[in-house]
Amino acid sequence: MSSSRLVPQLPSNGQIQPQVAIPDYGGLVKFLVQPFLESQESLKVDCEISASSPRVWIRVAFEGEDKGRVFGRGARNIQAIRTALEAAARASGQSVYLDIYGGVFVEHETGPPPSRTGTRTLPPPSSVAPKSSPRLRSR
């Protein structure tokens, strides 16, 4: 039993295109994320493949205390996970978007996926101290 599905491609210029395998994104995410989790049964994965465009949205939720291990130092772990997902998507002619949620996971019923604000990282703090304002100086 295969873990991917075959999708026929529309003919272009009258020639029949080969079928392209769609990766099992949910299984791939579980394989990549579970080793970082204390409570592996807390992992929830929701995968939405758009029928009208080659986009895939993957939403992942797990316990909040595991977030540091999943992201890793300098977000190296999550970047490696994103890279693996992007490579799998690119091989099947798709693009992938990964959203990470800590704690409670709510599956949406219809409509566009939620905003992707949970996975952004801030730039490192500047090593130069800001100049103090003349109004803030002590007298």
Side-chain angles (χ1 to χ4, degrees):
M1 183 171 173
S2 175
S3 62
S4 61
R5 297 180 305 219
L6 295 178
V7 174
Q9 295 296 308
L10 296 175
S12 62
N13 299 331
Q15 296 180 1
I16 297 175
Q17 299 292 323
Q19 293 183 342
V20 178
I22 295 178
D24 176 15
Y25 292 105
L28 182 57
V29 169
K30 287 178 183 179
F31 175 77
L32 294 171
V33 173
Q34 278 182 340
F36 298 111
L37 302 177
E38 285 284 321
S39 174
Q40 294 183 354
E41 51 276 345
S42 71
L43 179 63
K44 305 286 186 235
V45 179
D46 178 45
C47 182
E48 178 182 334
I49 299 175
S50 175
S52 62
S53 68
R55 293 185 181 150
V56 178
W57 284 274
I58 302 171
R59 288 171 287 282
V60 179
F62 46 82
E63 295 296 326
E65 54 269 1
D66 289 333
K67 189 173 183 178
R69 284 188 293 279
V70 172
F71 276 75
R73 186 173 296 186
R76 289 184 188 130
N77 294 344
I78 196 64
Q79 187 59 42
I81 291 168
R82 287 182 191 277
T83 301
L85 289 170
E86 288 170 6
R90 196 173 310 122
S92 64
Q94 297 175 319
S95 59
V96 67
Y97 301 94
L98 178 66
D99 292 329
I100 307 290
Y101 299 93
V104 179
F105 180 66
V106 178
E107 292 186 28
H108 70 284
E109 293 178 13
T110 59
S115 65
R116 293 163 194 43
T117 58
T119 59
R120 294 191 179 153
T121 58
L122 297 175
S126 174
S127 59
V128 178
K131 294 181 180 179
S132 63
S133 169
R135 287 183 261 161
L136 299 178
R137 291 186 186 152
S138 60
R139 297 179 190 225

